[in-house]
């Protein structure tokens, strides 16, 4: 068997566990009553009516925090208060709530988050840490009825690790580039879905570590005035400068998280995609790469808005970050991290595969549709967002280049890894939990490779019009909700007008890939990759 070029570009690798120093002071009282207003500043005008109804029953975060940069003696920190207005839409009364403290994951070394006080409706609440300190369990003083809301207040201190060994760049200070990557910086309500309930287990080893439901975010942040922040949200006003400090007020939502990156080095460039400002935040020596990333990101917003549905926000930030450890990029709401090395258009990393920087950007941008707007349980059904993002990326190349270039990308990004697994070790099922895969390589080959090939095969089978009509309906029906594989299949069946049960079972639920591909497919791919 010839050796197949295998590249795993956009895997967001994951994590295990660590501990902080959590001190509990149950009598301390913080913050005031919740203000769950409709915070819609960053939503584009045309979608405001569609999303206005959502805001009144979405969970709402109000965060006030101070960022202290790294010094020669101390790690960087973010400390502040969080007020979370939580609506019980689980369909059953609740006596417990769960917050995830992802910063305590082992992967982040000296990184940590501690929660100092917790109150529920202004009364001290009993809380305890478990799952290696990444799960904060809060016992409610009285059960919360279905459809009712409570206000939870907490004070937190988050320590940002410098250059953690195993990190994939979501949460760290990177000394060499002088960039802060700031996911995980506040306690986040655990994800909940009807199928799996609360997401309280160990953080996945393969795939995305964070699974959340939609909320609105109102964030006030004080930080050194020389730092340039890229965030999930939009600034409400220009930053208020006081000496060497700046106070910023951001809002965002509906969305699934509030993430940030910051650096004094960032060079910001902007392009428009319809009503959306796309910003590139890149290092000073990376102009050429930044221009490519900005153009691809802008075209991706246009292409996916046309094919699937309108990008929801006035802003999208594309940020050059040291993601490390072989990952290509990471998606967040309104914000994507793209691996810094790929911005060097003459460098080894970017030259390993044609159009690599563009592929990573348009994959991560596709997650704004599949992950952020339409949510799914990324532990149980990673293919719903990852395989769709890769299939959309191939479609982006078909639309913005030509079919041959799209096929070339499918060879490099989808077939190479999958064929390597299929013809050496055999096939595996796509729709299974991320940690059911034995390695990142298998997870990547099956979820990003086979899963995306399955969606492209489905597109060929039912036709592009029916394919994108279904995705458009999926985007509308499950906006800021959690969809299941059955929900997506039903959309395709509705659009196609016929059952797709057999197709779905074969491609996503069985390991029958050798029925679909044989040595001639492998030879063709190798010929095309070699340009012969
Ligand atoms: Zn992805």
């Amino acid at each position: 068997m010839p050796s197949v070029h295998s590249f795993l570009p956009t895997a967001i690798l994951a994590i295990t566990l660590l501990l902080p120093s959590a001190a509990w002071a149950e009598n301390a009282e913080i913050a005031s009553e919740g203000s769950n207003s409709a915070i819609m500043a960053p939503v584009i005008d045309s979608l405001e009516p569609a999303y206005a109804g959502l805001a009144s029953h979405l969970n709402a975060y109000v965060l006030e925090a101070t960022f202290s940069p790294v010094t020669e003696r101390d790690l960087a920190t973010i400390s502040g208060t969080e007020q979370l207005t939580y609506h019980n839409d689980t369909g059953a009364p609740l006596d417990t709530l769960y917050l995830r403290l992802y910063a305590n994951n082992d992967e982040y070394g000296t990184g940590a988050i501690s929660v100092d006080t917790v109150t529920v409706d202004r009364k001290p609440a009993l809380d305890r840490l478990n799952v290696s300190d990444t799960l904060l369990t809060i016992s409610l003083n009285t059960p919360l009825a279905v459809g009712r809301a409570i206000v939870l207040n907490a004070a937190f201190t988050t320590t940002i690790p410098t250059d953690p060994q195993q990190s994939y760049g979501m949460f760290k200070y990177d000394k060499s580039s002088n960039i802060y990557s700031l996911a995980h910086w506040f306690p986040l309500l655990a994800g909940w879905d009807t199928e799996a309930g609360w997401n309280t287990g160990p953080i996945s080893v393969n795939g995305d570590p964070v699974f959340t439901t939609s909320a609105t975010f109102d964030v006030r942040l004080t930080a050194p005035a020389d730092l340039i922040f890229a965030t999930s949200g939009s600034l409400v006003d220009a930053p208020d400068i006081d000496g060497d400090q700046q106070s910023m007020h951001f809002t965002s939502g509906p969305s699934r998280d509030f993430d940030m990156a910051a650096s004094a080095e960032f060079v910001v460039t902007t392009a428009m995609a319809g009503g959306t400002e796309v910003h590139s935040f890149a290092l000073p020596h990376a102009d050429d790469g930044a221009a490519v990333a900005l153009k691809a990101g802008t075209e991706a917003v246009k292409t996916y808005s046309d094919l699937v549905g309108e990008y929801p926000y006035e802003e999208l930030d594309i940020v050059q970050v040291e993601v490390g450890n072989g990952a290509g990029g990471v998606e967040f709401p309104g914000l994507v991290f793209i691996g810094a090395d790929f911005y060097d258009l003459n460098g080894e990393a970017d030259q390993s595969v044609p159009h690599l920087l563009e592929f990573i950007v348009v994959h991560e941008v596709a997650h704004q549709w599949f992950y952020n707007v339409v949510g799914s349980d990324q532990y149980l059904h990673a293919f719903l967002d990852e395989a769709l993002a890769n299939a959309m990326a191939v479609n982006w190349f078909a639309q913005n280049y030509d079919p041959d270039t799209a096929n070339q990308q499918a060879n490099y990004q989808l077939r190479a890894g999958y064929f390597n697994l299929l013809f050496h070790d055999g096939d595996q099922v796509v729709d299974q939990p991320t940690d059911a895969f034995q390695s990142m390589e298998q997870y990547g080959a099956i979820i990003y490779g086979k899963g995306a090939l399955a969606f492209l095969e489905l597109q060929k089978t039912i036709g592009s019009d029916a394919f994108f009509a279904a995705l458009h309906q999926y985007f509308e029906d499950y906006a800021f909700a959690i969809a299941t594989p059955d929900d997506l299949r039903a959309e395709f069946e509705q659009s196609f007008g016929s059952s797709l049960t057999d197709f779905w079972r074969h491609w996503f639920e069985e390991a029958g890939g050798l029925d679909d591909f044989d040595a001639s497919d492998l030879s063709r791919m190798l010929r095309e990759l070699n340009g012969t």
Side-chain angles (χ1 to χ4, degrees), residues 10-12 208 329 331 363-364 367 385-386 389 448:
T10 32
I12 300 153
D208 290 307
E331 75 277 18
H363 170 98
E364 301 304 345
H367 277 303
D385 70 317
E386 294 301 349
Y448 292 75

Side-chain angles (χ1 to χ4, degrees), residues 425-507:
D425 303 321
D427 201 13
Q428 291 188 29
V429 168
V430 170
D431 189 7
Q432 56 178 329
T434 52
D435 285 342
F437 294 98
Q438 284 163 12
S439 65
M440 269 309 299
E441 287 70 30
Q442 289 185 6
Y443 166 75
I446 295 296
I447 296 290
Y448 292 75
K450 183 185 178 186
L453 289 169
F455 282 121
L456 294 178
E457 185 66 21
L458 181 62
Q459 182 177 349
K460 215 161 73 182
T461 303
I462 70 176
S464 286
D465 288 352
F467 183 79
F468 288 115
L471 290 181
H472 176 72
Q473 201 58 46
Y474 180 65
F475 179 81
E476 296 223 316
D477 290 347
Y478 299 97
F480 299 107
I482 301 290
T484 66
D486 283 348
D487 295 332
L488 179 57
R489 180 174 48 80
E491 299 287 15
F492 284 123
E493 288 176 338
Q494 177 75 22
S495 171
F496 182 45
S498 182
S499 169
L500 290 165
T501 307
D502 291 346
F503 181 97
W504 201 268
R505 189 189 309 119
H506 175 70
W507 280 92

Side-chain angles (χ1 to χ4, degrees), residues 107-299:
E107 177 143 317
Y108 298 119
T110 51
I113 178 168
S114 64
V115 179
D116 301 315
T117 50
V118 177
T119 65
V120 173
D121 285 341
R122 292 191 280 185
K123 297 190 189 73
L126 189 64
D127 48 63
R128 62 179 195 280
L129 270 177
N130 54 7
V131 195
S132 298
D133 297 339
T134 66
L135 180 71
L136 183 64
T137 301
I138 298 164
S139 301
L140 302 181
N141 299 312
T142 52
L144 180 64
V146 174
R148 300 300 298 269
I150 52 166
V151 177
L152 185 150
N153 283 284
F156 63 90
T157 300
T158 304
T159 304
I160 297 143
T162 294
D163 298 332
Q165 288 293 306
Q166 301 172 296
S167 163
Y168 293 95
M170 296 172 72
F171 175 64
K172 67 172 176 174
Y173 171 66
D174 186 83
K175 211 190 268 180
S176 65
S177 61
N178 194 21
I179 296 172
Y180 296 91
S181 308
L182 302 171
H184 311 330
W185 62 275
F186 61 95
L188 200 55
L189 184 73
W192 183 91
D193 65 84
T194 50
E195 187 180 359
W198 290 100
N199 177 251
T200 56
I203 295 166
S204 66
V205 175
N206 300 320
D208 290 307
V210 177
F211 167 55
T212 59
T213 45
S214 297
T216 60
F217 298 84
D218 186 325
V219 178
R220 289 174 196 271
L221 183 70
T222 301
D226 65 330
L227 288 180
I228 296 160
F229 278 81
T231 79
S232 286
S234 294
L235 275 169
V236 177
D237 304 302
D240 189 9
I241 312 286
D242 183 6
D244 62 356
Q245 295 288 299
Q246 59 179 331
S247 299
M248 294 163 284
H249 182 197
F250 302 97
T251 59
S252 136
S255 70
R256 295 178 189 277
D257 199 348
F258 193 97
D259 304 278
M260 310 189 288
S263 178
E265 321 287 335
F266 280 149
V267 176
V268 184
T269 50
T270 299
M272 294 302 293
T276 296
E277 275 187 22
V278 183
H279 302 296
S280 157
F281 294 74
L283 292 167
H285 54 76
D287 292 358
D288 293 350
V292 169
L294 180 62
K295 184 166 184 283
T298 306
E299 287 168 352

Side-chain angles (χ1 to χ4, degrees), residues 351-373:
Q351 288 302 305
S352 60
V353 167
H355 302 290
L356 184 52
L357 175 59
E358 288 162 289
F359 190 93
I360 294 169
V361 169
V362 303
H363 170 98
E364 301 304 345
V365 171
H367 277 303
Q368 298 303 316
W369 284 257
F370 306 114
Y371 147 70
N372 184 38
V373 175

